[in-house]
Amino acid sequence: MDRLRSILKSPRLSISILILLTVLGLILYFTYPLKIHHVLRHTDNIESVHVTYMSNGKFTDYLLTKDQGIHFNEFIQIMDENTYTRKFNTFQGGSGDAILMTVFYKEKDGESNNYLVDIRELGIIISHKKEYTINGDSKQLVNKLVDWIMSK
């Protein structure tokens, strides 16, 4: 019993356990699947969305507003079909289709605010200056979003 106490009081063991717990925590942090509400954070009270769709070197702009009768919960449902994981590195650019959005929403106090969302066919979404990996078919996600946007 005394030997066990002395082993547990050992600084080496304490440091090793602390390092192991830190590594396990980081692995869990970067691999735990998140729903879209954790990625976008502000999915309620969306007033309008300015969309720039980039495809084959062409840029197409759309403005979707609540006044047009658009229900943004459909947009959230499409995004919620996939899960997302945090990325450690930062986006260095790439090819393929992309959807750039500026989402305008009302805070609980009634003040207007906005944030940027960058969705890449490569399987990357950038929101609130954080990068996430799209778990699932990112090309299909972009196509569904484009179809939804064009139908409005």
Side-chain angles (χ1 to χ4, degrees):
M1 187 70 166
D2 288 332
R3 181 163 167 78
L4 180 61
R5 282 190 191 142
S6 65
I7 290 173
L8 292 176
K9 290 183 180 182
S10 165
R12 278 189 182 164
L13 182 63
S14 298
I15 291 172
S16 298
I17 290 173
L18 182 62
I19 290 171
L20 179 65
L21 289 175
T22 302
V23 168
L24 289 175
L26 285 171
I27 289 170
L28 182 62
Y29 180 79
F30 285 105
T31 60
Y32 187 79
L34 303 169
K35 296 304 272 180
I36 196 63
H37 300 287
H38 296 286
V39 175
L40 297 183
R41 295 193 191 135
H42 298 284
T43 56
D44 297 329
N45 301 323
I46 295 175
E47 295 292 315
S48 64
V49 177
H50 176 262
V51 178
T52 301
Y53 174 55
M54 299 184 307
S55 179
N56 299 320
K58 295 178 184 175
F59 295 81
T60 309
D61 288 319
Y62 301 91
L63 180 61
L64 308 172
T65 66
K66 197 175 188 180
D67 294 339
Q68 296 170 326
I70 295 176
H71 301 284
F72 291 105
N73 58 345
E74 296 170 1
F75 160 70
I76 299 302
Q77 287 174 348
I78 293 169
M79 295 293 292
D80 210 26
E81 291 175 7
N82 293 302
T83 59
Y84 308 86
T85 51
R86 295 173 180 94
K87 284 189 73 175
F88 184 70
N89 56 348
T90 57
F91 183 63
Q92 300 294 321
S95 60
D97 293 357
I99 299 172
L100 306 172
M101 292 189 263
T102 305
V103 179
F104 298 90
Y105 66 97
K106 287 213 183 257
E107 298 271 1
K108 290 181 181 176
D109 61 4
E111 189 173 325
S112 293
N113 211 335
N114 68 67
Y115 61 92
L116 302 174
V117 180
D118 183 348
I119 303 169
R120 300 284 172 151
E121 189 178 66
L122 299 170
I124 296 169
I125 183 170
I126 301 169
S127 175
H128 296 87
K129 299 180 183 176
K130 294 182 181 176
E131 188 173 331
Y132 302 87
T133 300
I134 300 169
N135 301 325
D137 189 349
S138 57
K139 195 171 195 171
Q140 181 182 8
L141 174 64
V142 169
N143 290 336
K144 280 184 178 181
L145 286 173
V146 169
D147 290 344
W148 180 77
I149 292 165
M150 290 183 173
S151 72
K152 303 302 173 194

